[in-house]
Amino acid sequence: MLAPQGRTEHREPAITRQNVTHATPKPIDADEPWMRGLHADTGYLLYRLGLRSGQLFNACLQESGLRLRHYAVLRFLATSDGALQRELSARLGYDPSAIVGLVDDLEKQGLAERRPAPDDRRSRIVVLTGSGRDFLRDTDEAGQRVTNELLGPLDPAERETLHGLLLRMAKDRLN
């Protein structure tokens, strides 16, 4: 920032080593708004629960050699007649280079395959195979177990309300 006479104004950082003394520090006031606990932060709770959900689901998928990201690709493909890799990237929010690796893994296991796009033979679409559909059917129960574990403290009406609220939040923010 320039001072009125063209000189640069120097600001001291909030914390400097030269200001450190060995006196007893002033106690932190727990009532300060910035001191609220992590569990008072809704965003942090959503983040932590999302991590936990992913950990639990990945543990269920571990035997198959797949992870939640693979499952998400398969689940998306189950709702379509196929998708370009760039569409998968955009819709799932994954980096395009990650999609290539995920689809490669799914092809190796016979769960998805790349085919020429019907409207442009130079493009390739990714489609779910019969084995991919079977895999999804088999993992539905595992997914339900994970959901039940996470939502265990909630009664059915609370679960429905939570789901509706999350859908409303996701509607414009995840597309």
mmCIF file with all atom_site columns, all heavy atoms in Angstrom, residues 82-93:
data_model
loop_
_atom_site.group_PDB
_atom_site.id
_atom_site.type_symbol
_atom_site.label_atom_id
_atom_site.label_alt_id
_atom_site.label_comp_id
_atom_site.label_asym_id
_atom_site.label_entity_id
_atom_site.label_seq_id
_atom_site.pdbx_PDB_ins_code
_atom_site.Cartn_x
_atom_site.Cartn_y
_atom_site.Cartn_z
_atom_site.occupancy
_atom_site.B_iso_or_equiv
_atom_site.pdbx_formal_charge
_atom_site.auth_seq_id
_atom_site.auth_comp_id
_atom_site.auth_asym_id
_atom_site.auth_atom_id
_atom_site.pdbx_PDB_model_num
ATOM 1  N N   . GLY A 1 82 ? -25.086 -44.632 -22.083 1.00 0.00 ? 82 GLY A N   1
ATOM 2  C CA  . GLY A 1 82 ? -23.657 -44.437 -22.318 1.00 0.00 ? 82 GLY A CA  1
ATOM 3  C C   . GLY A 1 82 ? -23.330 -42.962 -22.210 1.00 0.00 ? 82 GLY A C   1
ATOM 4  O O   . GLY A 1 82 ? -24.215 -42.104 -22.275 1.00 0.00 ? 82 GLY A O   1
ATOM 5  N N   . ALA A 1 83 ? -22.069 -42.672 -21.993 1.00 0.00 ? 83 ALA A N   1
ATOM 6  C CA  . ALA A 1 83 ? -21.645 -41.285 -21.832 1.00 0.00 ? 83 ALA A CA  1
ATOM 7  C C   . ALA A 1 83 ? -20.219 -41.118 -22.333 1.00 0.00 ? 83 ALA A C   1
ATOM 8  O O   . ALA A 1 83 ? -19.395 -42.029 -22.210 1.00 0.00 ? 83 ALA A O   1
ATOM 9  C CB  . ALA A 1 83 ? -21.726 -40.875 -20.363 1.00 0.00 ? 83 ALA A CB  1
ATOM 10 N N   . LEU A 1 84 ? -19.956 -39.964 -22.893 1.00 0.00 ? 84 LEU A N   1
ATOM 11 C CA  . LEU A 1 84 ? -18.586 -39.601 -23.240 1.00 0.00 ? 84 LEU A CA  1
ATOM 12 C C   . LEU A 1 84 ? -17.793 -39.417 -21.948 1.00 0.00 ? 84 LEU A C   1
ATOM 13 O O   . LEU A 1 84 ? -18.355 -39.030 -20.914 1.00 0.00 ? 84 LEU A O   1
ATOM 14 C CB  . LEU A 1 84 ? -18.558 -38.312 -24.053 1.00 0.00 ? 84 LEU A CB  1
ATOM 15 C CG  . LEU A 1 84 ? -19.258 -38.344 -25.416 1.00 0.00 ? 84 LEU A CG  1
ATOM 16 C CD1 . LEU A 1 84 ? -19.371 -36.935 -25.982 1.00 0.00 ? 84 LEU A CD1 1
ATOM 17 C CD2 . LEU A 1 84 ? -18.493 -39.243 -26.383 1.00 0.00 ? 84 LEU A CD2 1
ATOM 18 N N   . GLN A 1 85 ? -16.496 -39.666 -22.003 1.00 0.00 ? 85 GLN A N   1
ATOM 19 C CA  . GLN A 1 85 ? -15.681 -39.508 -20.802 1.00 0.00 ? 85 GLN A CA  1
ATOM 20 C C   . GLN A 1 85 ? -15.731 -38.078 -20.283 1.00 0.00 ? 85 GLN A C   1
ATOM 21 O O   . GLN A 1 85 ? -15.770 -37.856 -19.071 1.00 0.00 ? 85 GLN A O   1
ATOM 22 C CB  . GLN A 1 85 ? -14.244 -39.949 -21.075 1.00 0.00 ? 85 GLN A CB  1
ATOM 23 C CG  . GLN A 1 85 ? -14.132 -41.442 -21.217 1.00 0.00 ? 85 GLN A CG  1
ATOM 24 C CD  . GLN A 1 85 ? -12.719 -41.933 -21.431 1.00 0.00 ? 85 GLN A CD  1
ATOM 25 O OE1 . GLN A 1 85 ? -12.495 -43.113 -21.383 1.00 0.00 ? 85 GLN A OE1 1
ATOM 26 N NE2 . GLN A 1 85 ? -11.757 -41.069 -21.656 1.00 0.00 ? 85 GLN A NE2 1
ATOM 27 N N   . ARG A 1 86 ? -15.773 -37.102 -21.182 1.00 0.00 ? 86 ARG A N   1
ATOM 28 C CA  . ARG A 1 86 ? -15.827 -35.708 -20.719 1.00 0.00 ? 86 ARG A CA  1
ATOM 29 C C   . ARG A 1 86 ? -17.147 -35.419 -20.016 1.00 0.00 ? 86 ARG A C   1
ATOM 30 O O   . ARG A 1 86 ? -17.210 -34.606 -19.101 1.00 0.00 ? 86 ARG A O   1
ATOM 31 C CB  . ARG A 1 86 ? -15.547 -34.734 -21.854 1.00 0.00 ? 86 ARG A CB  1
ATOM 32 C CG  . ARG A 1 86 ? -16.570 -34.673 -22.943 1.00 0.00 ? 86 ARG A CG  1
ATOM 33 C CD  . ARG A 1 86 ? -16.207 -33.612 -23.999 1.00 0.00 ? 86 ARG A CD  1
ATOM 34 N NE  . ARG A 1 86 ? -17.010 -33.760 -25.180 1.00 0.00 ? 86 ARG A NE  1
ATOM 35 C CZ  . ARG A 1 86 ? -16.658 -34.432 -26.269 1.00 0.00 ? 86 ARG A CZ  1
ATOM 36 N NH1 . ARG A 1 86 ? -15.485 -35.005 -26.330 1.00 0.00 ? 86 ARG A NH1 1
ATOM 37 N NH2 . ARG A 1 86 ? -17.468 -34.525 -27.295 1.00 0.00 ? 86 ARG A NH2 1
ATOM 38 N N   . GLU A 1 87 ? -18.229 -36.094 -20.431 1.00 0.00 ? 87 GLU A N   1
ATOM 39 C CA  . GLU A 1 87 ? -19.511 -35.942 -19.741 1.00 0.00 ? 87 GLU A CA  1
ATOM 40 C C   . GLU A 1 87 ? -19.436 -36.558 -18.343 1.00 0.00 ? 87 GLU A C   1
ATOM 41 O O   . GLU A 1 87 ? -19.929 -35.978 -17.375 1.00 0.00 ? 87 GLU A O   1
ATOM 42 C CB  . GLU A 1 87 ? -20.629 -36.603 -20.543 1.00 0.00 ? 87 GLU A CB  1
ATOM 43 C CG  . GLU A 1 87 ? -21.983 -36.479 -19.876 1.00 0.00 ? 87 GLU A CG  1
ATOM 44 C CD  . GLU A 1 87 ? -23.096 -37.227 -20.598 1.00 0.00 ? 87 GLU A CD  1
ATOM 45 O OE1 . GLU A 1 87 ? -22.825 -37.923 -21.607 1.00 0.00 ? 87 GLU A OE1 1
ATOM 46 O OE2 . GLU A 1 87 ? -24.242 -37.123 -20.134 1.00 0.00 ? 87 GLU A OE2 1
ATOM 47 N N   . LEU A 1 88 ? -18.814 -37.724 -18.237 1.00 0.00 ? 88 LEU A N   1
ATOM 48 C CA  . LEU A 1 88 ? -18.631 -38.343 -16.921 1.00 0.00 ? 88 LEU A CA  1
ATOM 49 C C   . LEU A 1 88 ? -17.843 -37.412 -16.005 1.00 0.00 ? 88 LEU A C   1
ATOM 50 O O   . LEU A 1 88 ? -18.193 -37.226 -14.837 1.00 0.00 ? 88 LEU A O   1
ATOM 51 C CB  . LEU A 1 88 ? -17.899 -39.685 -17.050 1.00 0.00 ? 88 LEU A CB  1
ATOM 52 C CG  . LEU A 1 88 ? -18.669 -40.830 -17.672 1.00 0.00 ? 88 LEU A CG  1
ATOM 53 C CD1 . LEU A 1 88 ? -17.737 -42.005 -17.950 1.00 0.00 ? 88 LEU A CD1 1
ATOM 54 C CD2 . LEU A 1 88 ? -19.813 -41.254 -16.778 1.00 0.00 ? 88 LEU A CD2 1
ATOM 55 N N   . SER A 1 89 ? -16.799 -36.826 -16.543 1.00 0.00 ? 89 SER A N   1
ATOM 56 C CA  . SER A 1 89 ? -15.974 -35.900 -15.776 1.00 0.00 ? 89 SER A CA  1
ATOM 57 C C   . SER A 1 89 ? -16.799 -34.723 -15.259 1.00 0.00 ? 89 SER A C   1
ATOM 58 O O   . SER A 1 89 ? -16.748 -34.387 -14.080 1.00 0.00 ? 89 SER A O   1
ATOM 59 C CB  . SER A 1 89 ? -14.816 -35.401 -16.648 1.00 0.00 ? 89 SER A CB  1
ATOM 60 O OG  . SER A 1 89 ? -14.103 -34.391 -15.999 1.00 0.00 ? 89 SER A OG  1
ATOM 61 N N   . ALA A 1 90 ? -17.571 -34.120 -16.157 1.00 0.00 ? 90 ALA A N   1
ATOM 62 C CA  . ALA A 1 90 ? -18.367 -32.947 -15.779 1.00 0.00 ? 90 ALA A CA  1
ATOM 63 C C   . ALA A 1 90 ? -19.467 -33.306 -14.789 1.00 0.00 ? 90 ALA A C   1
ATOM 64 O O   . ALA A 1 90 ? -19.682 -32.601 -13.799 1.00 0.00 ? 90 ALA A O   1
ATOM 65 C CB  . ALA A 1 90 ? -18.972 -32.303 -17.029 1.00 0.00 ? 90 ALA A CB  1
ATOM 66 N N   . ARG A 1 91 ? -20.169 -34.384 -15.027 1.00 0.00 ? 91 ARG A N   1
ATOM 67 C CA  . ARG A 1 91 ? -21.306 -34.748 -14.185 1.00 0.00 ? 91 ARG A CA  1
ATOM 68 C C   . ARG A 1 91 ? -20.897 -35.257 -12.809 1.00 0.00 ? 91 ARG A C   1
ATOM 69 O O   . ARG A 1 91 ? -21.588 -35.027 -11.830 1.00 0.00 ? 91 ARG A O   1
ATOM 70 C CB  . ARG A 1 91 ? -22.178 -35.787 -14.889 1.00 0.00 ? 91 ARG A CB  1
ATOM 71 C CG  . ARG A 1 91 ? -22.828 -35.296 -16.173 1.00 0.00 ? 91 ARG A CG  1
ATOM 72 C CD  . ARG A 1 91 ? -23.866 -34.189 -15.951 1.00 0.00 ? 91 ARG A CD  1
ATOM 73 N NE  . ARG A 1 91 ? -24.987 -34.576 -15.160 1.00 0.00 ? 91 ARG A NE  1
ATOM 74 C CZ  . ARG A 1 91 ? -26.094 -35.163 -15.611 1.00 0.00 ? 91 ARG A CZ  1
ATOM 75 N NH1 . ARG A 1 91 ? -26.224 -35.419 -16.883 1.00 0.00 ? 91 ARG A NH1 1
ATOM 76 N NH2 . ARG A 1 91 ? -27.064 -35.477 -14.787 1.00 0.00 ? 91 ARG A NH2 1
ATOM 77 N N   . LEU A 1 92 ? -19.775 -35.951 -12.738 1.00 0.00 ? 92 LEU A N   1
ATOM 78 C CA  . LEU A 1 92 ? -19.331 -36.508 -11.462 1.00 0.00 ? 92 LEU A CA  1
ATOM 79 C C   . LEU A 1 92 ? -18.369 -35.592 -10.720 1.00 0.00 ? 92 LEU A C   1
ATOM 80 O O   . LEU A 1 92 ? -18.064 -35.808 -9.552  1.00 0.00 ? 92 LEU A O   1
ATOM 81 C CB  . LEU A 1 92 ? -18.686 -37.878 -11.680 1.00 0.00 ? 92 LEU A CB  1
ATOM 82 C CG  . LEU A 1 92 ? -19.611 -38.956 -12.236 1.00 0.00 ? 92 LEU A CG  1
ATOM 83 C CD1 . LEU A 1 92 ? -18.827 -40.215 -12.566 1.00 0.00 ? 92 LEU A CD1 1
ATOM 84 C CD2 . LEU A 1 92 ? -20.732 -39.258 -11.262 1.00 0.00 ? 92 LEU A CD2 1
ATOM 85 N N   . GLY A 1 93 ? -17.866 -34.569 -11.414 1.00 0.00 ? 93 GLY A N   1
ATOM 86 C CA  . GLY A 1 93 ? -16.940 -33.634 -10.769 1.00 0.00 ? 93 GLY A CA  1
ATOM 87 C C   . GLY A 1 93 ? -15.537 -34.197 -10.605 1.00 0.00 ? 93 GLY A C   1
ATOM 88 O O   . GLY A 1 93 ? -14.796 -33.769 -9.729  1.00 0.00 ? 93 GLY A O   1
#
